[in-house]
Amino acid sequence: MAAVTLTIGVDVGGTKVAGGVVDDTGRVLVQARRDTPAEDVGKTRDVIIELVTELATGHEIQAVGIGAAGWIDASRSTVLFAPNLAWRDEPLRAYVSAAVGLPVIVENDGNVAAWAEFRYGAARHADDSMVMFTIGTGVGGGIVLGGELVRGANGIAAELGHMLTVPDGHQCGCGRLGCIEQYASGSALVRFARAAARQEPHRATTLLALADGEAEAITGPMVTAAAKDGDPVSGEAFAQVGRWLGTSLADMAQILDPQVLVVGGGVIDAGDLLMGPTRRSFTEALAQRCRLPVGEIRPAELGNSAGVIGAADLAQRL
């Protein structure tokens, strides 16, 4: 029997650092997590090293993969900028590798989640290509072509959330106006629902009841719960997000012709409330193209484990 190769995957976000020991079939054997001291570069680094050291105890680990919410350089070693962490030109690979005595790879969190879905999740039967949109507070994603992640010349390709969708549209945190992140994210869902609840409170009675009558207190989980209960405003908020998401997926189908298009992130917990209008919008946007073969839209399968699994699997390739 061939020996099993074990690696550690670490998923570093603005609030938590999650890690796991993963085998070469994508199975997570052991998990651990810590809070992220996001404002302190040294402490964040120390937490990662502590987590890796803990997970490595009792296992023969070959390498470590780290998925970080930020822009990573082309050599997969330095975090150039992380909007929710204090990292600026942080040589993370060198620090962690020296501390734990193992090879380390650093990659963008959207890319590691996409890689996990390509290898072991919703696109595991694809052998060539996939595009993944991750719908959370913002919009992230990743692209696989020819069986490899598309990273670009500088390592920061596939910033799918910042494609222009509405010229002169809503202000985005990146500085542009009208990015898809402002129309197909969890934040957009809440913005749509709050605006409609203020304008038509009689059509948002279930939603407003959850928010104690205050439109500004509406949250994403409230919109999901109310929509599932038949609240008109909440259902329409999901329809708006799905419409914009579907057109962006259609753009990706036209440009890249991937085998599979995956939608991940917390918002997909809403199920068909989101995926239904997304698929309809996608089909309408490709009215002529859909006479030809076109990639299927699938919900992500790996959930919160995708970051750990994807980072560990990239480490397997070192």
Side-chain angles (χ1 to χ4, degrees), residues 182-207:
Q182 298 305 310
Y183 296 89
S185 62
S187 298
L189 176 75
V190 171
R191 190 178 78 247
F192 293 149
R194 286 176 177 175
R198 286 192 297 267
Q199 294 168 4
E200 299 182 282
H202 61 285
R203 301 182 66 246
T205 53
T206 301
L207 179 60

Side-chain angles (χ1 to χ4, degrees), residues 62-94:
Q62 302 300 313
V64 178
I66 301 173
W71 292 330
I72 314 301
D73 74 340
S75 66
R76 290 174 161 169
S77 61
T78 300
V79 183
L80 301 173
F81 177 80
N84 298 314
L85 298 163
W87 286 334
R88 305 293 184 268
D89 296 316
E90 172 73 6
L92 187 62
R93 183 176 72 184

Side-chain angles (χ1 to χ4, degrees), residues 20-38:
V21 176
V22 183
D23 70 14
D24 49 13
T25 67
R27 186 166 59 106
V28 181
L29 306 180
V30 183
Q31 299 183 70
R33 63 180 291 168
R34 300 282 192 281
D35 293 333
T36 305

